[in-house]
Amino acid sequence: MSSDLRDKKSKGVLYSFKYALEGILHGVISERNLKIHTVIAVIVILFGFLFKISSTEWMFIVIAIGGVYSLELMNTAIERIVDHVSPQYHPLAKQAKDVAAGAVLIYACMSVIIGCIIFIPKIL
């Protein structure tokens, strides 16, 4: 592989991370629900340290937080692309946005259940 090709590929990877981080930052700054998820995630992490949860419990917390963030970012991407492609109301556009929001809701509810399973016994 030539040096130029390696440089372009490594630069591409660096730019991929840069763009991904820009997307996350944009989501957290511009999306109300991501702001809410961030506040809740910080509280849960603080509770994790306060109650000295186990490594296994941390694993579930990290998966729950990461999953909610990932799905919320995907939901935002779907909303943006649907709004771009279909600026006027269309029932299929509404369905696409509603289904994506539903996926976030299901995962967020699962995350709350995980949090309750981990923290309620420690609080009581």
Side-chain angles (χ1 to χ4, degrees):
M1 186 180 295
S2 73
S3 175
D4 288 342
L5 187 57
R6 264 194 303 261
D7 290 343
K8 286 181 183 177
K9 281 191 175 193
S10 65
K11 190 176 254 190
V13 170
L14 292 177
Y15 277 108
S16 293
F17 281 108
K18 176 183 180 281
Y19 297 141
L21 291 172
E22 285 177 2
I24 294 167
L25 185 61
H26 174 76
V28 171
I29 290 170
S30 67
E31 292 297 312
R32 175 183 48 107
N33 288 346
L34 273 169
K35 290 176 185 175
I36 293 167
H37 292 310
T38 299
V39 170
I40 292 169
V42 168
I43 292 168
V44 168
I45 290 167
L46 291 173
F47 271 34
F49 285 117
L50 178 70
F51 290 110
K52 297 178 175 56
I53 62 175
S54 71
S55 297
T56 304
E57 291 168 329
W58 273 116
M59 182 176 63
F60 283 105
I61 294 296
V62 168
I63 290 169
I65 291 170
V68 170
Y69 262 91
S70 297
L71 279 173
E72 192 67 64
L73 289 167
M74 288 302 297
N75 180 48
T76 299
I78 289 168
E79 287 180 354
R80 297 286 196 281
I81 197 71
V82 166
D83 288 347
H84 175 72
V85 172
S86 181
Q88 284 77 34
Y89 175 83
H90 190 282
L92 291 176
K94 180 187 182 317
Q95 285 177 5
K97 293 167 79 169
D98 290 351
V99 169
V104 177
L105 179 61
I106 288 170
Y107 205 96
C109 289
M110 288 177 25
S111 297
V112 168
I113 292 167
I114 290 169
C116 288
I117 291 168
I118 292 172
F119 290 111
I120 287 177
K122 294 177 184 332
I123 292 170
L124 297 178

